[in-house]
Amino acid sequence: MTPDDVVGVWRLDSYTEVDEAGSTVAGPLGDSPAGLLIYTADGHVAVSMMKTGEGPALETYMGYSGRWRLAGDEMTHTVVVSAHPRMAGTEQVRRVALDGRALSLRGTAVNPVGGRAPERVLTWRRAENDDPTQQKKE
C-alpha cells in the first residue's frame, strides 16, 4: 500500500471493539455510527464520527484533525485539534490494511474501559459520488 492508495474520502462502515475473548462488540458510538475520514495528498487528515439511531452508546461524537503518515502497515495520525482535548498533541498509531475499497484501521483505545485499553477496529469504504448529506441508515 502506498500513500496514494489512501488519499481521498472514506465513509465509516463499522466501528467495533475486540473484547478479551476475541469477540467483536459495538464500539463507543453504538451499533451503527456514521463517519467520514479524509486523507489529503499533502498529509492532512480529518476524522468525524457520530452515533446514529436510538440505541445505547458511550459517546455521541468523536472527531479530530491533524497530519498523517504511512509506513508499511502502520498509519500514524498526529492530532492537532480534537473533540477530546487530551488527544491534541498525541500520535495515534494504527495498523492499516487495504482490501479493495475497504480500509481497516486497528489500534488501542485512547482511554481505558473497565481497566483495560481495548483494541478498536474501524472499517472505512471509499466514498462514492453520492449525496454527501446522506446519513448512514440503520
Side-chain angles (χ1 to χ4, degrees):
M1 171 179 0
T2 70
D4 287 342
D5 293 329
V6 299
V7 167
V9 179
W10 302 84
R11 290 194 181 278
L12 186 62
D13 192 43
S14 66
Y15 185 177
T16 59
E17 287 186 359
V18 179
D19 68 18
E20 291 174 339
S23 298
T24 301
V25 297
L29 294 171
D31 290 326
S32 59
L36 288 176
L37 168 62
I38 302 168
Y39 288 116
T40 67
D42 65 352
H44 288 88
V45 61
V47 183
S48 295
M49 300 177 291
M50 65 181 229
K51 174 191 180 317
T52 64
E54 299 297 320
L58 295 175
E59 299 199 44
T60 58
Y61 178 81
M62 298 174 142
Y64 64 85
S65 61
R67 306 283 299 172
W68 70 275
R69 67 183 181 278
L70 177 66
D73 69 348
E74 192 171 272
M75 175 67 75
T76 301
H77 293 174
T78 302
V79 180
V80 176
V81 297
S82 174
H84 299 298
R86 67 188 171 276
M87 286 183 67
T90 67
E91 288 198 336
Q92 302 300 307
V93 180
R94 307 288 183 248
R95 288 183 317 280
V96 64
L98 182 62
D99 182 11
R101 300 184 68 76
L103 181 72
S104 172
L105 297 170
R106 300 175 76 94
T108 305
V110 174
N111 289 318
V113 176
R116 71 176 197 87
E119 180 178 42
R120 292 192 170 153
V121 181
L122 289 88
T123 302
W124 303 86
R125 299 260 175 228
R126 189 166 296 276
E128 302 293 335
N129 292 328
D130 57 0
D131 181 353
T133 62
Q134 183 68 30
Q135 297 294 321
K136 182 177 177 181
K137 302 295 182 195
E138 291 186 53

